[in-house]
Amino acid sequence: DAGITQSPRHKVTETGTPVTLRCHQTENHRYMYWYRQDPGHGLRLIHYSYGVKDTDKGEVSDGYSVSRSKTEDFLLTLESATSSQTSVYFCAISESKGPWGNTIYFGEGSWLTVV
Amino acid sequence: GIQVEQSPPDLILQEGANSTLRCNFSDSVNNLQWFHQNPWGQLINLFYIPSGTKQNGRLSATTVATERYSLLYISSSQTTDSGVYFCAAKETSGSRLTFGEGTQLTVNP
């Protein structure tokens, strides 16, 4: 199993509150990703990182920000949570053949409910 | 961007049966992966297969890049094979993996 830990695993929060999800890896992989999974939409990329302090937007980045101050940690922040951000969030990592040139491995997911 | 379509959307099998899942993609790809999501939500990478054929136990995959499709074969299915199978592809000129909507597989005892 890839050494990826997501926290929290489950969270219920109120509309308008900030929320931060953490992804921690022990593999020293360069590339890290945040996806969300929703019925009817499959998995969609939110943001990804190709190194410390190097991040880029995915296809559904509005309302989300990320930070990567250490190789092992990639944080996803919802500045002001909305009900449309209720979802399952997956962190993923991949080795160093370029962000999309290699196998990616997923964490176990974080279930977020915004009420 | 690239379109990734999986078929069938749902598949129900008896234990021991064989099955083939298909993934069609709309452009040339340099990354094609298959994943299994188990009933507890865990996503497991099965194959990284932008071209050619690979086998891992009862599972095998073939990607024919020139014809823009990939196939996942499951032989002698077991109840633990149940879950959703996703295909994901990145077009050669693209910047991210795009996932299909998956095939929901149910294997009954």
Side-chain angles (χ1 to χ4, degrees):
Chain A
D1 288 342
I4 309 169
T5 304
Q6 293 186 227
S7 60
R9 295 290 314 285
H10 299 271
K11 186 174 182 65
V12 179
T13 192
E14 293 186 349
T15 298
T17 60
V19 177
T20 295
L21 306 180
R22 180 181 183 239
C23 178
H24 178 80
Q25 60 146 329
T26 58
E27 307 296 322
N28 200 36
H29 284 352
R30 178 179 176 188
Y31 298 96
M32 300 185 74
Y33 315 82
W34 278 107
Y35 285 86
R36 60 178 288 175
Q37 185 177 27
D38 305 288
H41 291 280
L43 284 141
R44 293 179 292 174
L45 181 67
I46 305 171
H47 283 278
Y48 67 101
S49 169
Y50 42 98
V52 173
K53 297 187 179 178
D54 289 326
T55 65
D56 205 351
K57 295 180 179 180
E59 62 184 306
V60 289
S61 58
D62 287 349
Y64 302 94
S65 62
V66 290
S67 65
R68 191 165 178 203
S69 58
K70 298 185 288 185
T71 298
E72 59 265 35
D73 289 326
F74 192 32
L75 304 181
L76 177 71
T77 297
L78 291 65
E79 300 291 347
S80 178
T82 67
S83 58
S84 64
Q85 294 175 311
T86 292
S87 187
V88 184
Y89 292 87
F90 286 95
C91 173
I93 65 175
S94 66
E95 297 173 285
S96 302
K97 288 186 182 179
W100 308 109
N102 212 329
T103 301
I104 67 171
Y105 301 94
F106 283 92
E108 294 187 336
S110 294
W111 276 253
L112 177 67
T113 302
V114 183
V115 298
Chain B
I2 190 171
Q3 304 299 311
V4 179
E5 296 181 352
Q6 294 185 241
S7 60
D10 298 280
L11 186 59
I12 300 174
L13 302 172
Q14 288 300 120
E15 202 167 23
N18 302 328
S19 62
T20 300
L21 281 58
R22 187 176 180 102
C23 173
N24 291 333
F25 41 91
S26 59
D27 289 286
S28 299
V29 300
N30 58 5
N31 189 327
L32 191 292
Q33 302 186 36
W34 284 95
F35 299 87
H36 174 223
Q37 187 168 36
N38 65 25
W40 297 270
Q42 189 178 14
L43 278 158
I44 305 297
N45 191 291
L46 299 175
F47 294 103
Y48 171 79
I49 187 165
S51 64
T53 298
K54 290 186 178 179
Q55 181 159 6
N56 184 3
R58 295 181 296 104
L59 272 60
S60 64
T62 295
T63 297
V64 184
T66 53
E67 298 188 20
R68 299 183 181 173
Y69 72 88
S70 183
L71 303 175
L72 178 68
Y73 304 97
I74 304 174
S75 64
S76 304
S77 59
Q78 301 175 357
T79 56
T80 53
D81 294 331
S82 295
V84 183
Y85 289 80
F86 289 101
C87 165
K90 186 190 84 65
E91 59 199 315
T92 304
S93 60
S95 60
R96 64 178 71 96
L97 274 176
T98 297
F99 282 76
E101 294 201 8
T103 292
Q104 174 77 56
L105 175 66
T106 303
V107 181
N108 293 321

